[in-house]
Amino acid sequence: MSLDKRARALGQWLVLGSLVGLVCGVASAIFLFLLEEATRWRTRHEVLVYFLPLAGLVLGALYGRWGASIRGGNNLVIDTVHEGGERLPARMAPMALLGTVLTHLFGGSAGREGTAVQMGASLADAVAHRLQVSPTTRRELLAAGIAGGFGSVFGTPIAGTVFGLEVVSVGRLNYEALVPALVAALVGDFVTRSLGIHHTAYPAVSPLALSPGVMGKWLVFGAAVAAVAVVFVEGVHFLKKRMEKAVPSLALRMALGGALLVVLWKAVGTSDYLGLGLPLIERAFVDPTLPPETFALKLLFTLLTLGTGLLGGEVTPLFVVGAALGNLLARPLGLPLELAAGVGLAALFGAAANTPLALSLMAVELLGAGVLPHVLIVTVTAYLLTGQRGIYPAQRIARLKH
Amino acid sequence: MSLDKRARALGQWLVLGSLVGLVCGVASAIFLFLLEEATRWRTRHEVLVYFLPLAGLVLGALYGRWGASIRGGNNLVIDTVHEGGERLPARMAPMALLGTVLTHLFGGSAGREGTAVQMGASLADAVAHRLQVSPTTRRELLAAGIAGGFGSVFGTPIAGTVFGLEVVSVGRLNYEALVPALVAALVGDFVTRSLGIHHTAYPAVSPLALSPGVMGKWLVFGAAVAAVAVVFVEGVHFLKKRMEKAVPSLALRMALGGALLVVLWKAVGTSDYLGLGLPLIERAFVDPTLPPETFALKLLFTLLTLGTGLLGGEVTPLFVVGAALGNLLARPLGLPLELAAGVGLAALFGAAANTPLALSLMAVELLGAGVLPHVLIVTVTAYLLTGQRGIYPAQRIARLKH
């Protein structure tokens, strides 16, 4: 490849990647703004939570009527990266956004990366379609859309870049889309921040010297993370399948999900487990008196939310579950509270999504370099122990894990 | 894969990876100890440098007599990972060690990762041979040996892990050997440190907010890094080929290399460019009056050392060249001196070796999280612009870069 060709390749990716990053960044900013408003409204007017079943009914009806082509969500995106095929529906972006914001407005426990990835990928596909690019370029722009969406919604462009490459397959990272993914994630993040969005600030964790003893502790920690990841992954898949059989109507299913969440909410007597759960993460880093059942309850709320078809991603609730699990394990294992919470936060989603590198880098971006190498040990251990399962069944198995 | 099988896979890798890490760590500690002694001796008795031609003659005679089977160096290791084939010669470890230490004792400008990788891989292959493991397991242990050698010699286990996976192919990262590589790198690093080795401490760089202006500066920076990487890679290959034709005797070639270095040393009138050059790195981070030709001179010394067959790796001299280049570019580009030096340090070897992720992680391990995302932008830009060339011709091209 001549220098001229390489320079042109760089130029092309700068333009196309920036374009994708721009639309991803704007979409993420709108999404995050609406999500914050919805969360603020719900915390001020908790009576809204009683309407979660009704919201589920309406959302289910909407999705039943217009959403058939996009129900695959992130799996549809991953399939399209691998197989090409039809253009991702333009409605994917607005419907994922609306569904997630409404789910949060009424107190569902869901995350943001699913929405961000679906918005980013469908917008990138619109760009690819509009510019009539080749199938290869389209595939790379889709990866850029995933990277741009993920990077901008969390304010972590490097994690977004690697996530865009890592999420499509298990056990292999292809560098084909490295440049467009990096450009889209950086531009997307810049655009989102420029539109006035502030991301959650986490405390920088202090480094801890690695000894065989500490490594042994992290192995135990990693096994616990793997167990919780398996419960979550299998739980969501099981619940989805059983609920689809038991309640074939999506609208009724989502309404039932909402009703179950209201019952659970009243039963536990706190609103801590509704929505993203960011305040719980903050507590997990500093509060040794965090109730030990915190991780299990957040897991249950999230399983019920996503397993019954309510909308949103997995990252932030799994951050809460992982951080709370780390908080719980810190004392018996004799690990610093903050570090254990930070490692748990990143490792659980990394294991559940089979993206150990992206989430280790995310931990570095959020918590500083002190989290290395601990987070990679735990994430890789949990990644190995969860086997070939994951929250995205569409992922191709490039390599067996053992 | 059942839980039992996965747990057994983890157990197997913990044992085998630790074993590889142990031998790598001990080898690195011996190597680093001798290297430090050699450097101390040379700086105290600079008259030793006049004997570099003689050292080249002796080393060349030794390698001509017993070294034919290991002259491939890192390329032989990479080929063996891909193709299997004969066991890496046991003599690889002691000969690479001796050759590198003597090269440094008499003032050659070379690095450490080549030696560490060859020691690690050949020791890992000895373990594989002794335990009569399967060809697949052998391949994974070789990757663990590379990771253990690299991670322990630089005190950067995460970079070592990713380097072990990334270096064998261009454009793809396979996770097959992820667990053994991580275990070997962590254990290797721990063993080396436990044996009393202290690694160079670099200053933590302060974070810098990313804006389109800063991104544009890093693109220019990346193009400069790519240009220097191309000069280095092509220069070494060209010099090696021409010298082999002009002076077929290895002993005479290495003696000639030594003589040229002595002439160059006297011509520049300073000993700064001999050996690893660690003091120059320190200066590059803080001294705005570092002479602009520093990077070019270190490049020239290193080209002459490695191009004439003298022994050692590339990392540390390229760290010097990259850091000095960053120092030079900091002022015209209006970038913080320390950050520019740090980014240049990691990016040049990352581009020359086609290992952008490993070197970005190395930057994080050495310089803190503030170096992200800048280092990845520069490393990826330079990686793209260098095309399919690299210091290790044995690397398989998994994906074209554009």
Side-chain angles (χ1 to χ4, degrees):
Chain A
M1 191 171 46
S2 69
L3 176 62
D4 178 50
K5 235 176 156 180
R6 278 174 273 138
R8 221 176 313 155
L10 179 60
Q12 175 194 315
W13 288 134
L14 284 176
V15 173
L16 292 180
S18 297
L19 209 58
V20 170
L22 179 69
V23 292
C24 289
V26 172
S28 287
I30 296 170
F31 174 48
L32 290 172
F33 171 76
L34 292 176
L35 209 54
E36 216 178 304
E37 289 297 306
T39 303
R40 201 196 319 269
W41 263 78
R42 191 197 63 243
T43 44
R44 283 201 195 143
H45 312 278
E46 288 214 326
V47 65
L48 280 170
V49 183
Y50 290 108
F51 294 88
L52 186 55
L54 184 63
L57 195 72
V58 173
L59 273 176
L62 283 172
Y63 263 77
R65 177 74 184 81
W66 288 292
S69 63
I70 60 164
R71 280 299 287 169
N74 281 7
N75 290 304
L76 176 60
V77 171
I78 293 171
D79 278 334
T80 307
V81 171
H82 285 292
E83 296 166 8
E86 278 188 40
R87 184 182 153 193
L88 289 173
R91 68 183 66 173
M92 187 177 236
M95 286 188 75
L97 185 147
L98 186 77
T100 308
V101 170
L102 288 180
T103 296
H104 276 88
L105 178 63
F106 297 99
S109 168
R112 299 172 285 190
E113 99 294 346
T115 318
V117 163
Q118 288 161 45
M119 290 195 303
S122 63
L123 291 169
D125 214 17
V127 170
H129 190 77
R130 171 68 68 133
L131 299 179
Q132 300 187 306
V133 301
S134 72
T136 308
T137 305
R138 179 196 179 200
R139 201 166 51 226
E140 289 158 28
L141 285 182
L142 283 170
I146 300 173
F150 192 100
S152 61
V153 89
F154 295 110
T156 55
I158 304 306
T161 303
V162 175
F163 186 81
L165 310 181
E166 197 176 34
V167 73
V168 293
S169 301
V170 178
R172 173 178 292 172
L173 194 76
N174 279 325
Y175 288 20
E176 210 177 6
L178 177 58
V179 179
L182 179 61
V183 174
L186 291 168
V187 171
D189 177 45
F190 176 76
V191 169
T192 302
R193 288 178 197 266
S194 299
L195 292 170
I197 296 294
H198 296 285
H199 299 283
T200 319
Y202 296 89
V205 302
S206 314
L208 173 71
L210 208 62
S211 65
V214 173
M215 285 187 223
K217 291 173 182 180
W218 288 131
L219 282 176
V220 176
F221 194 109
V225 168
V228 174
V230 169
V231 168
F232 178 74
V233 170
E234 296 294 339
V236 168
H237 293 326
F238 174 83
L239 207 57
K240 274 195 175 159
K241 219 190 285 175
R242 287 306 276 274
M243 291 289 287
E244 276 170 21
K245 241 187 212 158
V247 189
S249 151
L250 179 63
L252 288 180
R253 209 154 68 230
M254 286 167 78
L256 177 63
L260 288 170
L261 282 166
V262 172
V263 172
L264 191 60
W265 170 56
K266 296 315 288 179
V268 301
T270 160
S271 303
D272 287 354
Y273 300 101
L274 304 177
L276 292 169
L278 291 171
L280 279 180
I281 299 184
E282 279 174 47
R283 274 189 67 193
F285 274 83
V286 294
D287 182 359
T289 68
L290 189 78
E293 67 276 16
T294 304
F295 87 92
L297 283 172
K298 185 66 183 171
L299 191 71
L300 188 58
F301 272 83
T302 312
L303 273 177
L304 279 180
T305 303
L306 299 176
T308 57
L310 290 166
L311 289 142
E314 289 89 355
V315 166
T316 312
L318 288 190
F319 272 16
V320 177
V321 177
L325 180 67
N327 179 296
L328 176 64
L329 294 173
R331 188 191 295 237
L333 289 177
L335 290 165
L337 185 66
E338 198 184 68
L339 183 62
V343 166
L345 172 144
L348 180 58
F349 182 78
N354 289 314
T355 53
L357 264 189
L359 268 285
S360 295
L361 283 164
M362 193 163 182
V364 171
E365 286 183 285
L366 296 176
L367 309 166
V371 77
L372 278 180
H374 316 289
V375 71
L376 195 66
I377 300 175
V378 172
T379 313
V380 166
T381 304
Y383 162 84
L384 178 75
L385 290 178
T386 51
Q388 308 307 328
R389 57 172 67 79
I391 49 177
Y392 309 130
Q395 286 178 324
R396 304 304 194 262
I397 310 287
R399 297 267 168 164
L400 291 178
K401 287 184 184 175
H402 63 110
Chain B
M1 191 171 47
S2 69
L3 177 63
D4 178 52
K5 236 176 156 180
R6 278 174 275 137
R8 220 176 315 154
L10 179 61
Q12 175 193 315
W13 288 135
L14 284 176
V15 173
L16 293 181
S18 297
L19 208 58
V20 170
L22 178 69
V23 293
C24 288
V26 172
S28 287
I30 296 171
F31 175 47
L32 290 172
F33 171 76
L34 291 176
L35 209 53
E36 214 177 306
E37 289 297 306
T39 303
R40 200 194 320 267
W41 264 78
R42 191 197 63 244
T43 44
R44 283 201 196 143
H45 313 278
E46 287 214 325
V47 64
L48 280 170
V49 183
Y50 290 108
F51 294 89
L52 185 56
L54 184 64
L57 195 72
V58 173
L59 273 176
L62 283 172
Y63 263 77
R65 176 74 185 80
W66 288 290
S69 62
I70 60 163
R71 280 299 285 168
N74 282 9
N75 290 302
L76 176 61
V77 171
I78 294 171
D79 278 335
T80 307
V81 171
H82 285 291
E83 297 166 6
E86 279 189 39
R87 184 183 152 192
L88 289 173
R91 68 184 67 175
M92 187 177 236
M95 285 188 75
L97 185 147
L98 186 76
T100 308
V101 170
L102 288 180
T103 297
H104 276 89
L105 178 62
F106 296 100
S109 168
R112 298 173 286 191
E113 98 293 345
T115 317
V117 163
Q118 288 160 46
M119 290 195 302
S122 63
L123 291 169
D125 214 17
V127 170
H129 189 78
R130 171 66 69 133
L131 300 178
Q132 299 186 308
V133 301
S134 72
T136 308
T137 305
R138 180 197 177 198
R139 202 165 51 226
E140 289 160 27
L141 285 182
L142 283 170
I146 299 174
F150 192 101
S152 61
V153 89
F154 295 111
T156 55
I158 304 307
T161 303
V162 175
F163 186 82
L165 311 181
E166 197 175 32
V167 73
V168 293
S169 302
V170 178
R172 173 178 293 174
L173 195 75
N174 279 325
Y175 288 20
E176 209 177 7
L178 177 58
V179 180
L182 179 61
V183 174
L186 291 168
V187 171
D189 177 45
F190 176 76
V191 169
T192 302
R193 288 179 197 265
S194 299
L195 292 171
I197 297 295
H198 297 284
H199 298 283
T200 318
Y202 296 89
V205 302
S206 314
L208 173 70
L210 208 60
S211 65
V214 173
M215 286 187 222
K217 290 173 183 181
W218 287 129
L219 282 176
V220 176
F221 194 109
V225 168
V228 175
V230 168
V231 168
F232 179 74
V233 170
E234 296 293 341
V236 168
H237 292 327
F238 173 83
L239 207 57
K240 273 193 176 161
K241 219 191 285 178
R242 288 306 278 272
M243 291 290 286
E244 277 171 19
K245 239 185 214 163
V247 189
S249 151
L250 179 63
L252 287 181
R253 210 154 68 231
M254 286 168 77
L256 178 63
L260 288 170
L261 282 165
V262 172
V263 172
L264 190 60
W265 170 56
K266 295 318 285 180
V268 301
T270 161
S271 303
D272 288 354
Y273 301 100
L274 304 175
L276 293 170
L278 292 172
L280 279 180
I281 298 184
E282 280 173 47
R283 274 189 67 193
F285 274 82
V286 293
D287 181 0
T289 69
L290 189 78
E293 68 275 15
T294 304
F295 87 91
L297 283 172
K298 184 66 183 173
L299 191 71
L300 188 58
F301 272 84
T302 312
L303 273 177
L304 279 179
T305 302
L306 299 176
T308 57
L310 289 166
L311 290 142
E314 290 88 356
V315 166
T316 312
L318 288 190
F319 272 15
V320 177
V321 177
L325 180 67
N327 179 294
L328 176 65
L329 294 173
R331 188 190 294 236
L333 289 176
L335 290 164
L337 185 66
E338 200 183 68
L339 182 62
V343 166
L345 173 145
L348 180 58
F349 182 78
N354 290 313
T355 54
L357 263 190
L359 269 285
S360 296
L361 284 164
M362 194 165 181
V364 172
E365 286 184 285
L366 296 175
L367 309 166
V371 77
L372 279 180
H374 315 288
V375 71
L376 195 66
I377 300 175
V378 172
T379 312
V380 166
T381 305
Y383 163 84
L384 178 75
L385 290 178
T386 53
Q388 307 307 330
R389 59 172 67 78
I391 50 177
Y392 310 129
Q395 285 176 324
R396 305 303 194 263
I397 311 288
R399 298 266 166 165
L400 290 179
K401 286 184 185 175
H402 63 109

mmCIF file of all heavy atoms in Angstrom, chain A residues 249-264:
data_model
loop_
_atom_site.group_PDB
_atom_site.id
_atom_site.type_symbol
_atom_site.label_atom_id
_atom_site.label_comp_id
_atom_site.label_asym_id
_atom_site.label_seq_id
_atom_site.Cartn_x
_atom_site.Cartn_y
_atom_site.Cartn_z
ATOM 1 N N SER A 249 -48.659 -11.588 24.423
ATOM 2 C CA SER A 249 -48.807 -10.179 24.046
ATOM 3 C C SER A 249 -47.696 -9.343 24.677
ATOM 4 O O SER A 249 -47.550 -9.320 25.911
ATOM 5 C CB SER A 249 -50.164 -9.648 24.516
ATOM 6 O OG SER A 249 -50.084 -8.262 24.782
ATOM 7 N N LEU A 250 -46.926 -8.651 23.837
ATOM 8 C CA LEU A 250 -45.830 -7.825 24.344
ATOM 9 C C LEU A 250 -46.340 -6.758 25.304
ATOM 10 O O LEU A 250 -45.741 -6.500 26.358
ATOM 11 C CB LEU A 250 -45.075 -7.179 23.169
ATOM 12 C CG LEU A 250 -43.917 -6.270 23.557
ATOM 13 C CD1 LEU A 250 -42.834 -7.044 24.292
ATOM 14 C CD2 LEU A 250 -43.324 -5.590 22.323
ATOM 15 N N ALA A 251 -47.481 -6.137 24.946
ATOM 16 C CA ALA A 251 -48.021 -5.065 25.777
ATOM 17 C C ALA A 251 -48.369 -5.585 27.166
ATOM 18 O O ALA A 251 -48.005 -4.987 28.186
ATOM 19 C CB ALA A 251 -49.255 -4.455 25.107
ATOM 20 N N LEU A 252 -49.029 -6.743 27.219
ATOM 21 C CA LEU A 252 -49.386 -7.303 28.525
ATOM 22 C C LEU A 252 -48.146 -7.731 29.301
ATOM 23 O O LEU A 252 -48.074 -7.588 30.517
ATOM 24 C CB LEU A 252 -50.322 -8.498 28.340
ATOM 25 C CG LEU A 252 -51.749 -8.146 27.899
ATOM 26 C CD1 LEU A 252 -52.600 -9.409 27.756
ATOM 27 C CD2 LEU A 252 -52.398 -7.190 28.919
ATOM 28 N N ARG A 253 -47.160 -8.260 28.547
ATOM 29 C CA ARG A 253 -45.937 -8.712 29.193
ATOM 30 C C ARG A 253 -45.214 -7.540 29.861
ATOM 31 O O ARG A 253 -44.759 -7.612 31.005
ATOM 32 C CB ARG A 253 -45.032 -9.347 28.143
ATOM 33 C CG ARG A 253 -44.143 -10.412 28.664
ATOM 34 C CD ARG A 253 -43.774 -11.383 27.562
ATOM 35 N NE ARG A 253 -42.925 -10.820 26.535
ATOM 36 C CZ ARG A 253 -43.179 -10.932 25.232
ATOM 37 N NH1 ARG A 253 -44.250 -11.548 24.794
ATOM 38 N NH2 ARG A 253 -42.338 -10.407 24.358
ATOM 39 N N MET A 254 -45.096 -6.458 29.123
ATOM 40 C CA MET A 254 -44.415 -5.288 29.682
ATOM 41 C C MET A 254 -45.232 -4.683 30.829
ATOM 42 O O MET A 254 -44.669 -4.176 31.809
ATOM 43 C CB MET A 254 -44.126 -4.269 28.580
ATOM 44 C CG MET A 254 -42.972 -4.727 27.679
ATOM 45 S SD MET A 254 -42.791 -3.774 26.136
ATOM 46 C CE MET A 254 -41.987 -2.293 26.714
ATOM 47 N N ALA A 255 -46.544 -4.734 30.709
ATOM 48 C CA ALA A 255 -47.388 -4.242 31.799
ATOM 49 C C ALA A 255 -47.195 -5.114 33.037
ATOM 50 O O ALA A 255 -47.066 -4.610 34.167
ATOM 51 C CB ALA A 255 -48.848 -4.242 31.361
ATOM 52 N N LEU A 256 -47.136 -6.410 32.835
ATOM 53 C CA LEU A 256 -46.904 -7.329 33.949
ATOM 54 C C LEU A 256 -45.544 -7.056 34.589
ATOM 55 O O LEU A 256 -45.399 -7.018 35.823
ATOM 56 C CB LEU A 256 -46.981 -8.774 33.445
ATOM 57 C CG LEU A 256 -46.699 -9.861 34.482
ATOM 58 C CD1 LEU A 256 -47.735 -9.834 35.599
ATOM 59 C CD2 LEU A 256 -46.677 -11.250 33.835
ATOM 60 N N GLY A 257 -44.542 -6.839 33.725
ATOM 61 C CA GLY A 257 -43.207 -6.499 34.238
ATOM 62 C C GLY A 257 -43.272 -5.256 35.116
ATOM 63 O O GLY A 257 -42.712 -5.214 36.221
ATOM 64 N N GLY A 258 -43.977 -4.241 34.619
ATOM 65 C CA GLY A 258 -44.126 -3.020 35.392
ATOM 66 C C GLY A 258 -44.795 -3.287 36.725
ATOM 67 O O GLY A 258 -44.363 -2.781 37.772
ATOM 68 N N ALA A 259 -45.845 -4.111 36.705
ATOM 69 C CA ALA A 259 -46.585 -4.415 37.937
ATOM 70 C C ALA A 259 -45.685 -5.148 38.938
ATOM 71 O O ALA A 259 -45.669 -4.828 40.133
ATOM 72 C CB ALA A 259 -47.805 -5.267 37.605
ATOM 73 N N LEU A 260 -44.924 -6.111 38.440
ATOM 74 C CA LEU A 260 -44.016 -6.843 39.332
ATOM 75 C C LEU A 260 -42.989 -5.900 39.960
ATOM 76 O O LEU A 260 -42.645 -6.020 41.147
ATOM 77 C CB LEU A 260 -43.298 -7.953 38.552
ATOM 78 C CG LEU A 260 -44.161 -9.150 38.150
ATOM 79 C CD1 LEU A 260 -43.411 -10.060 37.176
ATOM 80 C CD2 LEU A 260 -44.577 -9.939 39.395
ATOM 81 N N LEU A 261 -42.507 -4.957 39.156
ATOM 82 C CA LEU A 261 -41.524 -4.002 39.687
ATOM 83 C C LEU A 261 -42.143 -3.122 40.759
ATOM 84 O O LEU A 261 -41.488 -2.802 41.768
ATOM 85 C CB LEU A 261 -40.956 -3.149 38.551
ATOM 86 C CG LEU A 261 -39.894 -3.854 37.707
ATOM 87 C CD1 LEU A 261 -39.628 -3.104 36.404
ATOM 88 C CD2 LEU A 261 -38.589 -3.991 38.493
ATOM 89 N N VAL A 262 -43.412 -2.723 40.557
ATOM 90 C CA VAL A 262 -44.082 -1.906 41.579
ATOM 91 C C VAL A 262 -44.214 -2.697 42.883
ATOM 92 O O VAL A 262 -43.931 -2.187 43.978
ATOM 93 C CB VAL A 262 -45.469 -1.438 41.077
ATOM 94 C CG1 VAL A 262 -46.234 -0.763 42.204
ATOM 95 C CG2 VAL A 262 -45.316 -0.469 39.907
ATOM 96 N N VAL A 263 -44.607 -3.946 42.763
ATOM 97 C CA VAL A 263 -44.728 -4.797 43.955
ATOM 98 C C VAL A 263 -43.382 -4.916 44.671
ATOM 99 O O VAL A 263 -43.272 -4.728 45.888
ATOM 100 C CB VAL A 263 -45.253 -6.201 43.560
ATOM 101 C CG1 VAL A 263 -45.187 -7.147 44.760
ATOM 102 C CG2 VAL A 263 -46.681 -6.095 43.029
ATOM 103 N N LEU A 264 -42.347 -5.186 43.888
ATOM 104 C CA LEU A 264 -41.009 -5.338 44.465
ATOM 105 C C LEU A 264 -40.550 -4.040 45.124
ATOM 106 O O LEU A 264 -39.961 -4.038 46.214
ATOM 107 C CB LEU A 264 -40.042 -5.751 43.346
ATOM 108 C CG LEU A 264 -38.649 -6.212 43.752
ATOM 109 C CD1 LEU A 264 -38.717 -7.427 44.656
ATOM 110 C CD2 LEU A 264 -37.812 -6.537 42.518
#
